[in-house]
């Protein structure tokens, strides 16, 4: 032992070493290297032989296991106190030893019972049955303490009886495994002359200490569905099978997973954990009042280990159903994931990890003193001085100061998540508060007077809508807790709506209330969403502001409330979309859901809706121009298309290669990067593959792509898909080879198809095919059409007239898109000028968008520069107007003709100049 070693400070270590002089050598032999790498089976065999009396047989496993435990703990004390082992080695060693002890004893005990009673057999399956031992708590998470008990649950697959032979007594499977469980507990925890291996706690089993010792899979499933409580979800996060057949473990996980992890974001768990924590704290406070010497509980006290565990696990319970990365059982690993996912700031996570290490190391040193399961600082000054020395601190005062610093930080982080937000908010959302509405929702006059006081327009109509919503069957059928929470949200929302209307000076508070009530009705049966708005009042205010600004935003939120959590993050207002990161995340999530097509489709929809909602929030806040928004929406669509192609291809069982030689080509709004929130996607599909299976497989891929994009699932749809621009249109093949596409464009395509080609671009898939497509596109567009200039002009005019006739003008109104002088005219002029002059000016094939092309036409002298600038401004203004109308939920962008006369005039003037 190192002369400067702190190991002698452990009284347990000193007593254990003094009892047998040979033990010092045993410690030295195994503590030379990391103990989490130790061969435990070999170590058990050596202890059984070495500790036996001379000439006697090896010690039985029960005695040898206890002795191995004391040897391991003593070796950990030496390595830890001497700075050779870190926290990770200590907890990994103890977890591995607990798993080993359970498996070793269970194997021997199972063999004994089978010899006496026969093998238990499932009544339905007819298969041999094995007991699943679930490690819970810190053992389940791989973070077991040196002197901790172990929390276990015993499960067996199915009921039945043992296959008893001659001389064997038959037992039911339940009785067989009950006896086996009792024997396992005794083998681990009975105190003998050699001590014990682990104390065993079975309180986490279904129905706790009043329930049966063992439970079948059916019993577990029924219990979790019917009686499982919120705190049990927290406990089952850590559940890890130490023994059992793989297929039985998988069956158990299939039962537990939907109980623990909800498919939607579950913010209701915040209140449940807050309540559980309050109960724990109350008991700790009571114990500290009765026994002041037991203060400073580093596990359960304020700012202690349990609060860090709660911090990690609340994110798991809220989001783990949607994100598999958040299902790790380790507290430390989960905290790191929270930083990776930007759910907590990196510096906060690093400090939490440092606090966790400090508190766990302190906890271990408290236990090293006498090998006692304690979590509180000792009462005596002398023992506190020993603990400070073990922590390599100069004195007790420094120890207490550092402990207070760590606990203060942890408590602050805990409060940031779990404190009751309604106590801090200016406009509280307090489900327990009484209000005018609670008593007067049947009194229209009282409601109307209240709304009028809040400056609502049409207070009478708004009061009637509020009463109708509250008295509707859907709301009245809600559980009392949900109705109370909904009422509190309405009470909080009304003054916020009035305030928003007053600040804006325009718009309608009553219309906003109508939108909000429709939203509340849509989410009322999902208590998690009500909980989110209750826990985070600022989110309710953001929802109201969005609904006030945009009817379309209100409809989108009502259809997709799952995006609500995007409003929690302040960075949503300024975050630049990161399509590369999104693509990587989609690849990981889609890969994890391989084989589950519906889940993969929902992953794509949820990701798209979340990203779209972030852009919507920035848009309504005035952070984005229409052009920048369209760029972002187009890039987002490209990313979703690429992810869909990759995932859909993997789902085709007959695929003939791992990476398809297939590409999606974008036309129209997506091709021109002018996509809006609800634009459909104009696409065609190309392939370049000589394999005989290629045409059939790529046709399947295209069909599957369309289905994945357009199918209505519980998460909605992605995009409507239009493939009418493919060669030969609706009568043509859904997919084309690059060579066939080239022949069609050069020999058979109509002028309007070449017009469409001016806005086409590679979107997703095989980049080499994208390059070949671009080469074909440039060659076709750069064809010299000077000899057929009149024909080109007439064909373009004929197509424009056909479109105009399909959308006749309405007196006094101007259709921003379709009417003469509108956006379609600008697009047709650009397309015509590209086709007419591209042979002479090949740079015109660059897909710059209409405004960029107008500038280029002017620079080349093809149109008047001032007129080009005016038309570009007009096009931008009309796009902005169209966008604003879409945000208000209007499908047809028709405005007062006088409002846009100054914009349509230069467009008409340029049209006359171009087509004269």
């Amino acid at each position: 032992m190192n002369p400067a070693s702190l190991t002698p400070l452990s009284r347990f270590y000193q007593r254990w070493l003094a009892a047998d002089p040979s033990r010092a050598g045993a410690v030295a032999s195994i503590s030379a290297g990391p103990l989490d790498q130790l061969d435990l089976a070999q170590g058990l065999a050596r202890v059984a032989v070495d500790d036996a009396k001379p000439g006697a047989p090896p010690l039985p496993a029960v005695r040898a296991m206890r002795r191995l435990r004391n040897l391991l703990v003593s070796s950990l004390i030496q390595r830890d106190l001497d700075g050779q082992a870190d926290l990770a080695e200590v907890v990994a060693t103890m977890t591995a030893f607990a798993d080993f002890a359970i498996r070793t004893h269970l194997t021997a005990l199972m063999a004994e019972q089978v010899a006496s009673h026969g093998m238990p057999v499932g009544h339905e399956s007819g298969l041999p049955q094995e007991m699943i031992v679930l490690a819970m708590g810190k053992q389940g998470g791989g973070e077991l303490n040196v002197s901790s008990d172990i929390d276990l649950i015993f499960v067996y697959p199915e009921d039945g009886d043992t296959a008893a032979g001659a001389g064997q007594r038959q037992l039911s499977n339940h009785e067989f495994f009950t006896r086996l469980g009792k024997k396992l507990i005794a083998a681990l925890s009975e105190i003998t002359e050699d001590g014990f291996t682990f104390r065993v706690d079975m309180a986490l089993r279904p129905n706790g200490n009043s329930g049966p010792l063992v439970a079948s899979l059916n019993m577990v499933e029924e219990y979790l569905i019917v009686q499982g409580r919120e705190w049990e979800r927290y406990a089952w996060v850590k559940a890890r099978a130490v023994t059992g057949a793989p297929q039985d473990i998988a069956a158990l996980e299939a039962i537990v997973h939907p109980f623990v992890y909800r498919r939607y974001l579950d913010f209701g768990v915040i209140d449940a954990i807050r309540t559980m924590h309050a109960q724990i704290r109350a008991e700790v406070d009571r114990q500290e009042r009765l026994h002041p010497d037991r203060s400073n509980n580093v596990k359960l006290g304020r700012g202690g280990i349990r609060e860090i565990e709660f911090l990690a696990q609340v994110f798991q319970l809220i989001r783990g159903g949607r994100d598999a990365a958040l299902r790790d059982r380790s507290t430390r690993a989960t905290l790191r994931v929270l930083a990776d996912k930007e759910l907590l700031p990196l510096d906060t996570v690093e400090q939490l990890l440092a606090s966790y290490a400090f508190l766990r190391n302190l906890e271990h040193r408290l236990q090293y003193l006498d090998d006692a399961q304690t979590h509180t600082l000792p009462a005596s000054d002398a023992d506190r001085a020993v603990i400070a020395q073990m922590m390599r601190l100069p004195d007790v005062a420094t120890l207490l100061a550092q402990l207070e610093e760590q606990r203060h930080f942890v408590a602050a982080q805990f409060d940031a998540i779990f404190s009751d937000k309604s106590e801090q908010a200016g406009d509280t959302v307090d489900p327990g508060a009484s209000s005018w509405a609670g008593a007067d929702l049947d009194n229209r006059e009282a409601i109307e007077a209240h709304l009028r006081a809040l400056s609502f327009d049409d207070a009478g109509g708004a009061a009637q809508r509020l009463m109708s919503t509250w008295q509707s069957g859907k709301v009245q059928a809600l559980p009392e807790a949900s109705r109370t929470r909904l009422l509190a949200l309405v009470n909080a929302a009304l003054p916020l709506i009035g305030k928003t209307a007053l600040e804006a000076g325009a718009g309608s508070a009553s219309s906003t209330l109508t939108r909000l009530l429709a939203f509340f009705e849509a989410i009322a049966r999902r208590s998690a969403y009500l909980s989110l708005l209750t826990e985070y009042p600022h989110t309710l205010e953001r929802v109201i502001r969005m609904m006030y600004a945009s009817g379309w935003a209100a409809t989108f939120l009502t259809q997709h409330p799952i995006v609500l959590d995007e409003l929690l993050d302040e960075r949503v207002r300024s975050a630049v979309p990161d399509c590369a990161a999104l693509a990587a995340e989609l690849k990981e999530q889609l890969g994890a859901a391989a084989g589950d097509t519906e889940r993969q489709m929902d992953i794509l929809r949820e990701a798209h809706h979340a990203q779209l909602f972030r852009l919507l929030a920035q848009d309504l806040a005035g952070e984005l121009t229409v052009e920048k928004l369209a760029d972002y929406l187009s890039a987002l669509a490209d990313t979703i298309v690429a992810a869909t192609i990759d995932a859909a291809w993997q789902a085709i069982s007959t695929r003939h290669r791992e990476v398809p030689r297939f590409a999606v080509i974008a036309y129209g709004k997506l091709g021109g990067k002018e996509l809006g929130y609800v634009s459909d996607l104009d696409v065609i599909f190309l392939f370049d593959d000589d394999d005989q299976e290629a045409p059939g497989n790529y046709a399947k891929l295209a069909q599957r792509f369309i289905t994945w994009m357009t199918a209505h699932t519980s998460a909605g749809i992605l995009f409507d898909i239009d493939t009418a621009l493919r060669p030969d249109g609706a009568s043509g093949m859904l997919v084309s080879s690059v060579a066939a596409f080239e022949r069609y464009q050069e020999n058979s395509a109509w002028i309007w198809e070449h017009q469409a080609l001016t806005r086409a671009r590679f979107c997703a898939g095989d980049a080499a095919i994208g390059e070949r497509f671009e080469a074909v596109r440039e060659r076709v567009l750069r064809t010299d059409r000077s000899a057929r200039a009149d024909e080109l002009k007439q064909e373009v005019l004929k197509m424009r007239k056909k479109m105009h006739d399909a959308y006749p003008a309405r007196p006094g109104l101007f259709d921003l898109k379709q009417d003469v002088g509108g956006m379609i005219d600008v697009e047709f002029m650009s397309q015509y000028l590209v086709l007419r002059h591209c042979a002479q000016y090949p740079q015109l094939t660059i897909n710059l968008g209409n405004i960029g092309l107008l500038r280029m036409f002017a620079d080349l002298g093809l149109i008047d520069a001032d007129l080009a600038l005016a038309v570009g401004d007009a096009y931008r203004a009309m796009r902005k107007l169209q966008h604003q109308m879409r945000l208000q939920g209007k499908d047809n962008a028709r405005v007062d003709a006088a409002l846009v006369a100054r914009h349509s005039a230069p467009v008409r003037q340029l049209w006359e100049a171009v087509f004269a």
Side-chain angles (χ1 to χ4, degrees):
M1 186 187 302
N2 183 343
S5 173
L6 298 179
T7 308
L9 295 173
S10 166
R11 292 193 287 261
F12 165 76
Y13 183 89
Q14 291 285 57
R15 289 194 302 269
W16 182 77
L17 213 63
D20 185 343
S22 67
R23 289 175 175 173
V27 170
S29 68
I30 72 165
S31 61
L35 293 173
D36 54 349
Q37 305 298 317
L38 196 65
D39 185 330
L40 293 171
Q42 188 180 68
L44 181 66
R46 183 179 302 141
V47 167
V49 172
D50 292 349
D51 285 15
K53 294 179 179 179
L59 293 177
V62 170
R63 294 195 62 191
M65 193 70 75
R66 283 157 170 72
R67 293 186 173 224
L68 177 60
R69 182 261 181 196
N70 292 332
L71 174 60
L72 270 179
V73 169
S74 298
S75 301
L76 279 173
I77 290 173
Q78 178 173 310
R79 283 183 58 80
D80 190 4
L81 293 183
D82 290 353
Q84 297 171 308
D86 60 7
L87 175 63
E89 180 183 328
V90 174
V91 297
T93 300
M94 290 309 301
T95 303
F97 176 63
D99 291 355
F100 170 74
I102 290 168
R103 293 186 186 116
T104 301
H105 287 316
L106 185 64
T107 298
L109 294 170
M110 180 73 174
E112 289 178 13
Q113 281 216 165
V114 169
S116 299
H117 303 288
M119 175 64 74
V121 176
H123 177 71
E124 295 182 6
S125 67
L127 297 174
Q129 305 289 289
E130 297 180 31
M131 188 161 79
I132 303 171
V133 177
L134 288 174
M136 309 291 283
K138 286 188 170 63
Q139 184 189 355
E143 296 171 330
L144 195 61
N145 282 331
V146 287
S147 299
S148 176
D149 58 4
I150 53 177
D151 296 287
L152 303 179
I153 294 177
F154 300 149
V155 179
Y156 63 96
E158 58 180 295
D159 287 316
D161 299 292
T162 60
Q168 294 178 323
R169 180 188 169 197
Q170 188 178 59
L171 298 175
S172 69
N173 288 355
H174 184 80
E175 177 63 20
F176 180 95
F177 288 114
T178 298
R179 294 187 181 191
L180 182 61
K182 289 178 178 178
K183 290 179 180 178
L184 177 60
I185 292 170
L188 292 168
S189 64
E190 279 187 355
I191 299 175
T192 70
E193 60 185 297
D194 302 299
F196 62 92
T197 303
F198 286 101
R199 291 172 290 266
V200 177
D201 191 334
M202 300 293 297
L204 293 178
R205 69 185 186 268
N207 289 307
N209 290 328
S210 64
L213 186 66
V214 297
S216 68
L217 287 177
N218 285 340
M219 291 171 64
V220 171
E221 182 172 27
E222 182 178 359
Y223 175 81
L224 294 181
I225 291 173
V226 177
Q227 300 183 53
R229 290 155 289 183
E230 286 294 328
W231 70 262
E232 288 177 294
R233 292 178 58 204
Y234 169 87
W236 280 84
V237 166
K238 299 283 191 182
R240 177 174 58 85
V242 177
T243 69
Q247 68 273 16
D248 297 333
I249 294 172
L252 177 60
E253 288 179 346
I255 292 169
V256 172
H257 185 274
F259 170 69
V260 175
Y261 299 112
R262 307 295 159 84
R263 292 188 67 172
Y264 51 87
L265 294 170
D266 187 7
F267 288 89
V269 76
I270 295 177
D271 188 53
I273 292 184
R274 181 193 296 127
T275 301
M276 180 168 63
H277 177 261
Q279 293 170 345
I280 294 172
R281 286 288 306 126
E283 176 60 21
V284 171
D285 290 343
R286 189 181 73 84
Q287 291 293 332
E288 290 181 350
R289 284 195 304 272
L290 293 173
H291 308 280
D293 57 313
R294 297 181 186 174
S295 60
N296 283 315
N297 188 315
V298 301
K299 178 182 179 181
L300 301 178
R302 192 74 172 103
I305 295 166
R306 182 56 53 84
E307 289 193 358
I308 300 177
E309 293 171 342
F310 278 156
L311 274 169
Q313 285 187 271
V314 72
F315 286 98
Q316 293 183 288
L317 293 175
I318 290 173
R319 300 174 181 274
R322 292 175 60 196
D323 192 341
L326 285 167
R327 298 174 197 160
D328 199 292
R329 299 178 179 92
S330 162
T331 297
R332 293 164 299 155
T334 299
L335 286 171
R336 295 186 187 101
V337 173
L338 296 180
D340 293 341
K341 300 281 183 181
E342 297 185 345
L343 295 172
L344 282 177
L346 177 60
D347 58 345
T348 299
V349 168
E350 288 176 344
Q351 182 57 54
L352 283 171
L353 287 168
S355 297
Y356 185 78
F358 177 89
L359 293 169
R360 289 297 305 270
N361 283 330
L362 176 57
E363 181 184 42
H364 285 155
R365 280 145 183 77
L366 297 175
Q367 296 172 355
Y368 289 162
L369 203 58
D370 288 303
D371 189 26
Q373 186 186 5
T374 181
H375 313 285
T376 60
L377 289 182
S380 77
D381 292 338
D383 283 351
R384 290 191 176 197
V386 170
I387 297 300
Q389 196 174 350
M390 285 183 176
M391 293 290 288
R392 297 185 179 274
L393 297 174
D395 50 44
V396 175
T398 305
L399 170 64
L400 293 176
Q402 290 197 10
L403 175 59
E404 177 58 27
E405 180 184 352
Q406 300 293 348
R407 290 173 63 170
H408 179 76
F409 174 78
V410 172
Q413 300 309 311
F414 181 88
D415 287 345
I417 300 294
F418 290 101
S419 62
D420 191 340
K421 312 300 188 300
S422 66
E423 296 174 1
Q424 306 166 17
D427 296 307
T428 64
V429 183
D430 184 358
S434 61
S435 72
W436 67 274
D440 295 323
L441 270 178
D442 293 324
N443 186 335
R444 175 170 174 168
E445 289 75 15
I447 299 174
E448 186 175 341
H450 184 71
L451 296 179
R452 193 175 294 111
L454 293 172
S455 302
F456 270 63
D457 60 298
D458 188 18
Q464 183 59 51
R465 283 190 290 275
L466 182 54
M467 288 178 60
S468 298
T469 299
W470 183 254
Q471 294 168 358
S472 68
K474 182 182 291 187
V475 171
Q476 290 302 309
L478 292 173
E480 182 64 29
S482 293
R483 280 193 292 128
T484 300
R485 189 172 282 138
L486 181 59
L487 178 60
L489 288 170
V490 171
N491 288 331
L494 295 178
L496 288 174
I497 294 172
K499 174 186 171 186
T500 302
L502 285 174
E503 290 175 353
S508 168
S510 295
S511 296
T512 304
L513 177 61
T514 299
R515 296 167 183 172
L516 186 66
L517 291 175
F519 171 68
F520 281 162
E521 279 197 278
I523 67 170
R525 294 177 64 86
R526 301 291 285 273
S527 62
Y529 296 135
L530 299 179
S531 296
L532 184 155
L533 294 169
T534 303
E535 293 289 344
Y536 300 97
H538 68 278
T539 303
L540 175 62
E541 183 171 1
R542 290 179 185 176
V543 166
I544 288 168
R545 290 188 179 280
M546 292 185 77
M547 290 188 171
Y548 187 87
S550 169
W552 185 84
T555 301
F556 183 83
L557 256 177
T558 302
Q559 292 174 341
H560 309 293
I562 199 168
V563 301
L564 263 178
D565 76 306
E566 297 295 329
L567 292 177
L568 296 177
D569 193 341
E570 296 285 352
R571 293 169 298 179
V572 165
R573 285 276 297 272
S574 58
V576 175
D578 186 344
C579 288
L582 175 62
E585 186 174 352
L586 283 174
K587 183 177 182 180
E588 178 183 348
Q589 292 189 20
L590 291 168
D596 186 347
T597 299
E598 182 177 356
R599 181 60 196 140
Q600 288 180 313
M601 290 167 70
D602 282 349
I603 286 169
L604 289 163
R605 283 153 176 74
E606 289 165 5
H608 179 251
H609 294 156
Q611 295 292 324
L612 189 149
F613 190 67
R614 291 182 184 183
L615 293 173
L616 176 61
Q618 294 180 25
D619 181 16
L620 294 178
E623 303 290 335
L624 299 175
T625 64
V626 175
E627 291 84 359
K628 180 59 70 174
L629 174 65
D631 286 343
Y632 286 154
L633 289 172
S634 300
L636 174 60
D638 288 354
T639 304
I640 296 295
V641 168
T644 304
I645 289 296
D646 290 344
W649 179 249
Q650 293 303 313
I652 295 175
S653 59
T654 58
R655 64 184 183 277
H656 58 286
R657 61 173 72 248
E658 277 308 300
V659 180
R661 295 171 64 176
F662 176 94
V664 178
I665 305 301
Y667 280 73
K669 293 293 185 185
L670 179 59
K673 297 185 179 180
E674 294 182 348
L675 210 62
Y677 289 121
V678 293
S679 300
D680 57 4
L681 304 187
D682 294 291
V683 296
I684 68 168
F685 307 109
L686 300 181
F687 70 92
D688 185 18
D689 192 336
D690 293 331
D691 192 288
Q692 63 180 4
E693 302 295 329
N697 278 334
Y698 293 137
K700 288 181 184 177
L701 176 57
Q703 290 165 346
R704 192 156 300 191
F705 169 82
I706 294 171
T707 298
W708 281 40
M709 285 283 176
T710 61
H712 283 266
T713 74
S714 59
I717 72 166
L718 277 170
F719 297 98
D720 285 325
I721 301 296
D722 190 335
T723 61
L725 291 173
R726 68 185 186 268
D728 290 318
S731 62
M733 301 290 288
L734 185 59
V735 296
S736 302
S737 68
V738 177
F741 175 79
E742 183 175 11
R743 288 193 300 272
Y744 179 84
Q745 289 294 334
E746 291 180 345
N747 302 317
S748 305
W750 297 84
I751 293 294
W752 65 263
E753 290 179 288
H754 287 172
Q755 282 182 251
L757 201 60
T758 64
R759 290 162 61 86
R761 63 179 178 84
F762 168 71
C763 173
D766 189 325
I769 296 177
E771 291 175 1
R772 286 196 60 189
F773 163 78
E774 184 59 29
V776 172
R777 173 181 174 275
E778 289 180 353
R779 188 162 58 251
V780 170
L781 293 181
R782 291 170 183 172
T783 300
D784 187 354
R785 296 177 174 85
S786 57
R788 301 166 57 196
D790 287 340
E791 179 187 355
L792 172 65
K793 183 181 295 186
Q794 292 307 314
E795 287 296 323
V796 172
L797 290 171
K798 185 189 301 181
M799 178 55 67
R800 180 66 187 101
K801 183 177 185 304
K802 183 177 180 181
M803 292 183 65
H804 188 269
D805 290 345
Y807 298 92
R810 296 192 180 184
L813 293 177
F814 182 83
D815 189 319
L816 294 168
K817 183 177 179 181
Q818 300 290 348
D819 278 355
V820 173
M823 291 186 291
I824 292 289
D825 280 0
V826 177
E827 293 166 6
F828 265 60
M829 286 188 287
S830 294
Q831 293 163 10
Y832 166 74
L833 290 170
V834 168
L835 294 177
R836 176 64 183 84
H837 299 288
C838 211
Q840 185 178 359
Y841 303 109
Q843 64 266 41
L844 291 175
T845 57
I846 300 172
N847 195 340
L848 291 176
N850 290 296
I851 295 174
L853 283 171
L854 286 168
R855 284 197 297 266
M856 187 178 287
F857 297 147
D859 292 342
L860 295 172
L862 300 177
I863 59 176
D864 178 77
D866 291 338
L867 195 53
L869 181 62
V871 171
D873 290 342
Y875 186 74
R876 182 182 291 109
M878 285 189 279
R879 279 189 66 192
K880 187 173 181 179
L881 270 173
Q882 181 192 47
H883 179 65
Q884 290 170 347
M885 297 186 72
R886 291 276 166 81
L887 284 176
Q888 293 308 320
K890 298 177 181 178
D891 293 331
N892 295 316
R894 292 191 176 97
V895 299
D896 185 338
L899 183 66
V900 291
R902 63 190 178 92
H903 298 311
S904 63
V907 177
R908 294 169 187 253
Q909 186 179 348
L910 182 60
W911 183 274
E912 291 299 324
V914 169
F915 291 107

